[in-house]
Amino acid sequence: MPQDTLKDHGAEKKLVNIRLWVAVGFMILLCLGLISRLFYLQVVRHVELSTQSDENRVLVQPIPPTRGLIYDKNGVLLAMNKPSHILSIVREQAKDMDVLLADIAKLVNLTEGELKRFDQRIRRRRPFEAVPLKFDLTSEEIARITVNQFRLPGVDINAELVRYYPEKEAFAHSIGYVGRINDRDLQTLDPALYSGTHTTGKIGVERSYESILLGKPGFQEVETNARGRVLRVLKKEPPVPGRDINLYLDSKLQKIAIEAINGRRGAVVAMDPKTGGVLTMASTPSFDPNLFVTGIDTKTFNGLNTNIERPLYNRASLGEYPPASTVKPVMGLALLANGVVKPEDRVFDKGWFQLPGSEHRFRNWKRSGHGWVDLNQAITVSNDTYFYNQAGKLGIDNLHDFASQFGFGHRTGIDIREERPGLLPSREWKRGAYEQPWYPGETVIAIIGQGYMLATPLQLAESTSLIANRGHYVQPRLVRENIPEVQGEFWGDDISTGLTDEADAFNWELIIGAMEEVIHSPRGTANWRIGRGLKYRMAGKTGTAQVVSIAQGEEYDAEKLKEFERDHSLFIGFAPADDPQIAVSVILENSNGASNVARKVMDAYLLPRLAAAKNQKEK
């Protein structure tokens, strides 16, 4: 074999050693680079990276406060909180939101409305905040989500307290309801106070006393793993619960009022004349406020909103109606106070009245007339002609100024925001509204509560309480406690009749005596309906408000009119007449029997108290 074909083992060994040292040197350089990098990260940037690590590992979660409860005057719970299982999603932990929602929809039913509201909520959420997708999960839905949760990143099920109204429709307009926070709410709400809270008061007491009922949120720092699961709680500051509220409202009396209305459209307001506490504020038809708590679907809301009977409308404080003859006691006081008439002055009623130089006849409700009528009789039998004759002597200016002292044309300032002022017409008002002068015939119909004049049932209850108190004013209130943080937000006018001297005291008793005759005299307009069998003295006044005009010479016939064109029935009253404990106003739209409703409410409230007082006295 040739010599050059033999291997040079020495050269090969030298080559291997060179390669080995190169490799070792390269490894040393890598180690030095790694050590320097670790030094840079662990020492040079320790503080910065430690903070970032904690932020990835530690989350601050808001803890919503428990909303305050609402009770009636007897301690009956009207607004409470009940546990509800909520399916929520943390956007940062979800990979593909569209895919995730599609997977969830295979497990639980998601409506179009729920998806739309979720999309709205997730746009305004805070980072790493759980956004609710579906409320009130059933046990079966909870089981499905739990079993599949490993493949639903960012999805969690939490038990939270949500608002619940056990009386449902009965107090929907007065207590109101909470609803989901929307974009309009966000413009006025403090985000810090609503951390973790998804609802806010929308109407009624829930809205007016939101700052009291809400409470203050707490927070907790939690340690999470790479998948966002909570491992442990590091720090916790508990929330401050909202304050409970007690109302003047009487749930039993409210139900009796609603039953007495018997499915018709109407409203009942009952007040304690001594305190101003509203005992009953019923408006029918009504709605279930629980529908709004977690978000009402479009179909249901449209059904309520377009319903011809307007169940969402609070007739008690927003409904503006011609007060009709229920204003005659106030107008009688106006005639006496302004010296237009004396108690003994009489007018002959032949069934109608005409202004000088006019052919138009202003008719009395009794076509044949009542003959000779004084002020007491004019109120007792509700004679229109007597007041027609005095309208021109009183004048619209005096009429406006005097009626204004009884709250007409003003908001009462009750502690809910859903209230209208009604309308007390004047020369200035008509000039501004129609650019027309005031005509004498308009005063003639204004003095009997028709024409432009409008009042809410709440205003009528307020003015009735003022009469019951012989001029002492108390402002209507729903909440029993005096809460300075909230009370200043309402805008009632401080009413003072200025009727305080001895002559005025005589006038009060004359008018109240006439209102007693309305109930207890055989000639009284309410005697045959509610006056018989009464175990206490009641003072009251009936009223019938025209909805459509009846042509001259024609008589009103309800059967010939469509339902919504028929007259409204009204009633105001208080009792006992010598020691008023309750004042009531009732409106029944396109129906009659308002006085019957008032009698049932007053009986339910007064008879047990009168019996208890009698037993106590006998002891």
Side-chain angles (χ1 to χ4, degrees):
M1 183 178 292
Q3 186 67 29
D4 57 359
T5 62
L6 296 175
K7 291 185 177 180
D8 186 348
H9 293 285
E12 288 184 354
K13 183 178 180 181
K14 185 177 181 180
L15 180 62
V16 169
N17 289 335
I18 293 172
R19 290 176 176 175
L20 180 61
W21 283 108
V22 170
V24 171
F26 183 71
M27 292 178 64
I28 291 172
L29 288 174
L30 287 177
C31 289
L32 289 174
L34 181 61
I35 291 171
S36 64
R37 181 63 178 170
L38 287 173
F39 179 82
Y40 175 73
L41 295 175
Q42 295 292 332
V43 179
V44 177
R45 298 188 62 192
H46 170 75
V47 176
E48 177 187 351
L49 296 178
S50 176
T51 302
Q52 291 182 7
S53 176
D54 284 340
E55 288 177 351
N56 290 331
R57 178 177 61 90
V58 178
L59 293 179
V60 178
Q61 296 178 334
I63 306 175
T66 301
R67 194 171 180 86
L69 307 179
I70 301 177
Y71 297 89
D72 84 338
K73 65 176 298 184
N74 300 311
V76 177
L77 197 55
L78 302 180
M80 59 183 289
N81 304 306
K82 71 171 186 176
S84 172
H85 287 88
I86 301 173
L87 189 156
S88 302
I89 299 176
V90 178
R91 179 68 182 88
E92 286 76 9
Q93 297 172 1
K95 295 178 180 179
D96 188 316
M97 184 59 72
D98 292 334
V99 173
L100 180 61
L101 291 175
D103 290 339
I104 295 173
K106 296 175 183 177
L107 303 173
V108 298
N109 179 43
L110 295 177
T111 66
E112 184 179 342
E114 287 172 332
L115 291 170
K116 183 178 179 180
R117 288 189 291 272
F118 174 76
D119 183 59
Q120 294 171 343
R121 293 177 196 131
I122 206 165
R123 292 178 186 176
R124 55 177 181 260
R125 84 206 182 350
R126 293 183 169 190
F128 290 94
E129 181 181 5
V131 180
L133 171 62
K134 188 175 182 65
F135 294 83
D136 292 328
L137 296 176
T138 65
S139 300
E140 184 177 347
E141 289 173 332
I142 295 172
R144 289 177 188 170
I145 295 295
T146 303
V147 169
N148 293 274
Q149 201 162 4
F150 70 94
R151 62 185 185 88
L152 301 173
V155 173
D156 203 0
I157 295 176
N158 302 303
E160 295 185 8
L161 293 175
V162 298
R163 205 60 155 174
Y164 180 69
Y165 304 98
E167 300 295 340
K168 298 184 178 180
E169 292 88 351
F171 294 93
H173 298 102
S174 52
I175 293 177
Y177 57 84
V178 300
R180 313 309 296 175
I181 295 173
N182 55 36
D183 292 331
R184 185 174 57 185
D185 296 326
L186 289 174
Q187 296 175 6
T188 57
L189 298 181
D190 182 353
L193 286 176
Y194 286 83
S195 298
T197 300
H198 309 299
T199 61
T200 184
K202 295 294 185 178
I203 65 170
V205 172
E206 290 278 28
R207 179 189 177 194
S208 297
Y209 290 85
E210 172 69 15
S211 60
I212 302 300
L213 293 164
L214 175 62
K216 295 182 180 179
F219 71 89
Q220 62 181 8
E221 292 182 359
V222 297
E223 184 179 5
T224 62
N225 60 18
R227 299 188 63 184
R229 298 294 178 204
V230 176
L231 301 177
R232 61 185 175 128
V233 177
L234 304 175
K235 182 180 179 182
K236 185 174 183 178
E237 182 175 318
V240 178
R243 176 175 169 179
D244 296 344
I245 285 179
N246 297 284
L247 306 180
Y248 285 106
L249 289 171
D250 185 325
S251 59
K252 178 184 278 189
L253 197 65
Q254 182 93 349
K255 291 177 183 177
I256 288 171
I258 293 171
E259 290 172 2
I261 295 176
N262 194 27
R264 292 171 288 184
R265 296 178 299 279
V268 178
V269 178
M271 284 177 58
D272 181 344
K274 300 182 187 301
T275 65
V278 176
L279 305 169
T280 292
M281 181 184 276
S283 176
T284 62
S286 186
F287 61 96
D288 185 354
N290 294 300
L291 295 171
F292 290 85
V293 174
T294 57
I296 188 170
D297 64 88
T298 302
K299 182 179 179 181
T300 303
F301 177 75
N302 288 339
L304 291 170
N305 197 39
T306 58
N307 189 323
I308 192 172
E309 298 204 332
R310 305 172 77 184
L312 297 177
Y313 188 61
N314 184 1
R315 288 169 164 82
S317 61
L318 293 174
E320 296 174 303
Y321 306 91
S325 293
T326 60
V327 301
K328 286 177 179 176
V330 172
M331 296 304 171
L333 281 168
L335 295 174
L336 293 170
N338 284 277
V340 175
V341 299
K342 296 178 181 178
E344 63 273 14
D345 290 346
R346 297 194 300 167
V347 168
F348 186 78
D349 171 29
K350 51 190 174 184
W352 49 269
F353 167 79
Q354 281 180 300
L355 285 168
S358 172
E359 295 182 359
H360 180 82
R361 291 185 175 184
F362 296 90
R363 296 198 175 274
N364 183 38
W365 67 266
K366 185 178 180 182
R367 290 297 176 125
S368 60
H370 286 102
W372 288 103
V373 180
D374 60 16
L375 179 56
N376 178 286
Q377 293 169 324
I379 293 175
T380 300
V381 301
S382 198
N383 181 270
D384 295 327
T385 308
Y386 179 90
F387 288 93
Y388 291 154
N389 275 272
Q390 315 304 338
K393 302 172 189 176
L394 180 64
I396 187 58
D397 298 325
N398 289 330
L399 186 155
H400 174 273
D401 293 346
F402 193 89
S404 180
Q405 297 178 67
F406 285 76
F408 293 102
H410 305 285
R411 293 182 178 90
T412 68
I414 192 172
D415 45 349
I416 58 173
R417 302 175 190 275
E418 299 76 39
E419 183 184 13
R420 288 180 178 166
L423 176 59
L424 182 59
S426 65
R427 297 180 192 274
E428 291 74 14
W429 167 82
K430 190 182 178 189
R431 191 177 296 113
Y434 296 101
E435 297 183 352
Q436 294 179 2
W438 186 265
Y439 298 110
E442 293 169 331
T443 309
V444 173
I445 56 176
I447 202 171
I448 63 164
Q450 295 281 178
Y452 298 117
M453 191 174 183
L454 299 172
T456 67
L458 182 60
Q459 285 177 319
L460 292 175
E462 178 189 47
S463 65
T464 304
S465 293
L466 197 60
I467 296 173
N469 290 335
R470 278 73 169 171
H472 174 67
Y473 172 69
V474 289
Q475 190 174 45
R477 275 286 176 267
L478 288 168
V479 175
R480 295 177 68 179
E481 297 95 339
N482 181 22
I483 304 176
E485 311 96 277
V486 178
Q487 300 292 49
E489 299 180 13
F490 305 107
W491 50 85
D493 293 321
D494 188 12
I495 297 174
S496 175
T497 64
L499 303 178
T500 56
D501 61 28
E502 292 184 5
D504 296 328
F506 175 81
N507 294 344
W508 286 116
E509 298 310 318
L510 188 151
I511 295 299
I512 290 172
M515 293 176 69
E516 290 184 60
E517 295 294 297
V518 170
I519 310 298
H520 299 280
S521 168
R523 299 185 64 192
T525 52
N527 177 259
W528 66 278
R529 284 185 177 275
I530 64 171
R532 298 168 188 179
L534 267 177
K535 297 181 179 180
Y536 50 87
R537 293 288 292 185
M538 182 196 301
K541 185 69 191 76
T542 56
T544 302
Q546 285 187 343
V547 176
V548 294
S549 299
I550 304 298
Q552 288 275 304
E554 292 188 7
E555 292 190 12
Y556 173 80
D557 186 349
E559 298 300 324
K560 294 181 179 179
L561 296 173
K562 297 178 181 178
E563 180 184 350
F564 284 85
E565 295 178 342
R566 296 171 186 170
D567 292 348
H568 300 327
S569 173
L570 301 97
F571 182 82
I572 61 167
F574 60 88
D578 59 344
D579 181 25
Q581 298 178 35
I582 184 173
V584 176
S585 70
V586 181
I587 170 75
L588 293 181
E589 294 183 9
N590 316 117
S591 182
N592 53 29
S595 58
N596 299 78
V597 174
R599 164 76 186 268
K600 291 178 181 179
V601 171
M602 287 190 174
D603 278 356
Y605 187 77
L606 286 176
L607 292 180
R609 285 163 176 77
L610 295 175
K614 182 179 179 182
N615 292 336
Q616 186 66 27
K617 187 176 181 180
E618 290 175 352
K619 289 181 181 179

